[in-house]
Amino acid sequence: MSLLDTLNLSYPIVQAPMAGATTPKLAATVSNFGGLGSLGSGMTAPNVLTGQIDTIKSLTDRPFMINLMVLSKQEYTTIDTELPAWLSQYYRDNTIEFTLPKCPAQNFSEQLQVLYDNPVPVASFTFGIISAEQVQRLQSLGTLVIGTANHPLEAKAWADIGADAVCVQGVEAGGHRGGWLPQSESDPLGLLTLISQTRTCTDIPLIAAGGIMSGQAIKAVQTAGAELAQIGTAFLTTDKCGINDTYKQALLDASQDKRSSETRLTRLFSGKLARGLLNDYLRDFAEFESADTLPPYPQLNAMTKFMRAHASQNMDAEHLSLWAGQGVALVKKESTLELLERLVKAL
């Protein structure tokens, strides 16, 4: 049975999770339309996540997806690196006060427990892989399990532990890279190459992500071997998206030639590779980009949070993480429903 049938979808569209940008209303709007709406919950406290799941369930009776970031206990509890000198100097120069948190990220085990206690139709995972036992426990509760992969070997690893599908994320994708193996960083693959290479090592159903901005692109990835298309950047400038106005305007400016639509893969915001619009922060501190010298994720993410909060308060797009895929020049100011209707017209 195809994913479309398994999930009872009307259209082969998955709205990307995008932690910090998605909202229960956005997810429910997409699901009610006939796609798969999702909520990026990797940065959400467990008690808040429970409430958000309840909200989505109150807004739709269609399938929806919750996405979590897989982190070890060591990763989510430990800050054992120094604040980089250049970042410390930036905070002094701009009189930005900061106090590093005790833990740099949410407790993944407690977040996962929420999905056991308050089951959801679909759970997806990024930044790592869970155990076969955890996959089976979710499935026993009626939850479909979807992994994220930037490399065929990561997709095979998810298939081997019994996942129901894998989202293959090409290098074109905006936001954080979802893989975890060294191979996915040393030679990042474009989406169509990733789909074809993954098909040679596993027959697990695939969801394609990366640079998909139109109905024609959805058809192209289906032709290449994916069953569904996951779309993120196109939703960022729609009405149900939760990003701030400064970020949204920067994306629209990139689509209207008012600022460059050039994107970069960078570790400078979080310590983990992510694609976003080029801005002054990425230019000014490019020399510190090396993974060897930057604190790892999620430690650097916790350290730059104060800069990003200050930039948001001051409507300063040049020091925000403007996550966006390579298709950003095609974004439009429109309602979420208008985008969905535009996408399905070409299918």
Side-chain angles (χ1 to χ4, degrees):
M1 187 183 289
S2 70
L3 282 178
L4 202 70
D5 294 331
T6 302
L7 292 166
N8 190 27
L9 304 181
S10 304
Y11 306 105
I13 294 171
V14 180
Q15 165 251 313
M18 301 185 293
T22 48
T23 63
K25 281 187 177 179
L26 174 60
T29 298
V30 176
S31 290
N32 284 330
F33 184 82
L36 182 65
S38 67
L39 189 68
S41 304
M43 300 188 298
T44 305
N47 63 319
V48 176
L49 175 56
T50 298
Q52 290 180 333
I53 291 171
D54 289 340
T55 298
I56 297 174
K57 288 179 176 179
S58 74
L59 294 172
T60 184
D61 57 3
R62 304 295 296 268
F64 64 90
M65 180 167 75
I66 297 295
N67 175 267
L68 296 179
M69 300 166 176
V70 181
L71 295 173
S72 68
K73 184 176 181 180
Q74 168 79 10
E75 288 174 319
Y76 65 70
T77 61
T78 306
I79 294 184
D80 58 5
T81 54
E82 295 290 322
L83 188 77
W86 52 268
L87 183 57
S88 179
Q89 185 65 49
Y90 178 84
Y91 284 159
R92 285 196 298 271
D93 291 345
N94 292 275
T95 59
I96 298 172
E97 293 184 9
F98 67 94
T99 305
L100 291 182
K102 184 181 176 186
C103 295
Q106 294 294 330
N107 184 316
F108 172 69
S109 295
E110 292 180 0
Q111 292 175 319
L112 186 58
Q113 186 64 43
V114 171
L115 301 190
Y116 296 149
D117 296 338
N118 195 0
V120 298
V122 185
S124 69
F125 297 90
T126 190
F127 296 5
I129 189 167
I130 60 176
S131 69
E133 292 74 23
Q134 289 167 326
V135 170
Q136 289 160 13
R137 184 170 178 186
L138 288 165
Q139 290 170 335
S140 73
L141 296 167
T143 299
L144 261 74
V145 177
I146 298 175
T148 306
N150 296 137
H151 191 278
L153 290 177
E154 292 169 342
K156 186 175 187 305
W158 277 106
D160 289 346
I161 61 167
D164 296 287
V166 173
C167 177
V168 284
Q169 181 195 37
V171 73
E172 304 93 337
H176 283 92
R177 304 268 291 156
W180 69 94
L181 293 177
Q183 294 95 321
S184 69
E185 286 200 12
S186 58
D187 186 18
L189 299 173
L191 179 56
L192 295 181
T193 302
L194 178 57
I195 293 171
S196 63
Q197 290 193 11
T198 301
R199 271 285 150 262
T200 66
C201 66
T202 175
D203 59 1
I204 192 169
L206 300 182
I207 300 167
I212 302 169
M213 301 289 290
S214 66
Q216 290 86 348
I218 294 172
K219 289 197 289 189
V221 296
Q222 287 183 301
T223 300
E227 293 189 21
L228 307 178
Q230 181 168 290
I231 298 170
T233 302
F235 281 100
L236 290 175
T237 51
T238 68
D239 63 334
K240 297 290 193 295
C241 184
I243 64 174
N244 62 59
D245 290 343
T246 306
Y247 180 3
K248 193 171 285 192
Q249 191 58 52
L251 297 172
L252 290 168
D253 287 347
S255 74
Q256 297 158 6
D257 295 326
K258 292 178 182 176
R259 74 175 288 147
S260 170
S261 60
E262 182 180 351
T263 63
R264 288 275 171 87
L265 279 172
T266 180
R267 287 186 178 84
L268 282 171
F269 280 106
S270 71
K272 185 172 177 63
L273 275 179
R275 184 178 295 283
L277 282 176
L278 183 61
N279 61 6
D280 286 350
Y281 174 68
L282 298 186
R283 292 186 191 94
D284 293 346
F285 298 105
E287 64 186 290
F288 304 108
E289 184 68 61
S290 168
D292 299 330
T293 56
L294 286 175
Y297 184 89
Q299 295 185 44
L300 183 59
N301 195 58
M303 293 171 180
T304 63
K305 180 175 74 172
F306 309 95
M307 175 188 69
R308 289 177 279 123
H310 183 264
S312 181
Q313 289 165 5
N314 290 278
M315 296 180 287
D316 170 21
E318 300 306 323
H319 294 87
L320 286 176
S321 48
L322 303 172
W323 302 139
Q326 289 182 333
V328 64
L330 298 176
V331 300
K332 296 179 184 292
K333 186 176 183 179
E334 58 191 340
S335 72
T336 303
L337 282 174
E338 283 171 336
L339 168 61
L340 289 164
E341 287 162 357
R342 188 161 59 80
L343 289 170
V344 302
K345 267 183 187 172
L347 297 180

